[in-house]
Amino acid sequence: MRVLGIDPGLTRCGIGVVEGSVGRPLSLVDVGVVRTAADQPVAQRLHLLEVGIEEWLDRHRPDAVAVERVFSQHNVRTVMGTAQASGVALVAAARRGLPVALHTPSEVKAAVSGSGRADKAQVALMVTRLLRLTEAPRPADAADALALAICHIWRGGAQSRIDEALARSRS
């Protein structure tokens, strides 16, 4: 399974592609960040994010997309931008008919580190180890996107197979 993980953000949107399956080694396909300038109008920034995400979808042809679920933050401006970026990612995936999963930050942290309270450094360290990299992906948004993809392969992929089996048993 090839999964495109997206850590949504209006200024820095982390993107990472991981390939693998449960019980088998994972491999890094690509990782990066789509950036927009804070001085641009929001509509322009969202368009630039869409173009960047579309390019990643075209280049890597993932089987699924995993996006971080937007959670309540104290800074309303930050959560608004994150939610808007998340919406762009969801639409881009839906346009291609790709399955999309939303994973909470604590779910992702628990999947890659064993603790839902892991900090960014712990997540980056585990992503580095799990993908057998020589150094942690930078910035943190890129490492978080890879963690989302890993989480989906380990958790979402298994859930998808369960859902498919249940659907077959009902027909």
Side-chain angles (χ1 to χ4, degrees):
M1 173 184 274
R2 179 177 279 205
V3 177
L4 175 72
I6 300 177
D7 180 35
L10 198 50
T11 303
R12 285 183 323 271
C13 182
I15 288 193
V17 182
V18 175
E19 207 163 65
S21 60
V22 177
R24 302 217 178 230
L26 301 167
S27 55
L28 170 69
V29 175
D30 200 359
V31 65
V33 176
V34 177
R35 297 177 189 269
T36 69
D39 61 350
Q40 293 178 306
V42 172
Q44 179 68 24
R45 296 174 78 186
L46 292 171
H47 174 71
L48 291 171
L49 282 178
E50 179 193 23
V51 169
I53 291 168
E54 296 276 356
E55 287 173 0
W56 278 77
L57 289 167
D58 289 342
R59 187 176 337 133
H60 296 294
R61 303 207 178 279
D63 300 308
V65 176
V67 180
E68 183 175 275
R69 182 181 299 274
V70 178
F71 63 98
S72 177
Q73 297 176 348
H74 298 298
N75 185 337
V76 175
R77 257 181 115 184
T78 301
V79 78
M80 184 63 81
T82 302
Q84 291 168 327
S86 178
V88 167
L90 297 174
V91 168
R95 188 178 292 134
R96 288 171 166 70
L98 292 170
V100 179
L102 297 170
H103 298 284
T104 65
S106 58
E107 180 185 356
V108 174
K109 292 172 185 180
V112 300
S113 76
S115 170
R117 296 177 183 250
D119 62 22
K120 289 217 177 258
Q122 290 171 304
V123 170
L125 176 65
M126 287 308 298
V127 165
T128 303
R129 285 184 179 166
L130 292 168
L131 296 175
R132 298 172 312 283
L133 306 175
T134 56
E135 60 183 319
R138 297 204 195 294
D141 310 274
D144 289 348
L146 292 172
L148 275 151
I150 292 167
C151 174
H152 186 71
I153 289 169
W154 285 353
R155 293 185 172 194
Q159 187 61 50
S160 295
R161 287 189 298 281
I162 291 168
D163 293 343
E164 288 169 12
L166 287 172
R168 280 193 305 271
S169 72
R170 290 184 191 125
S171 31

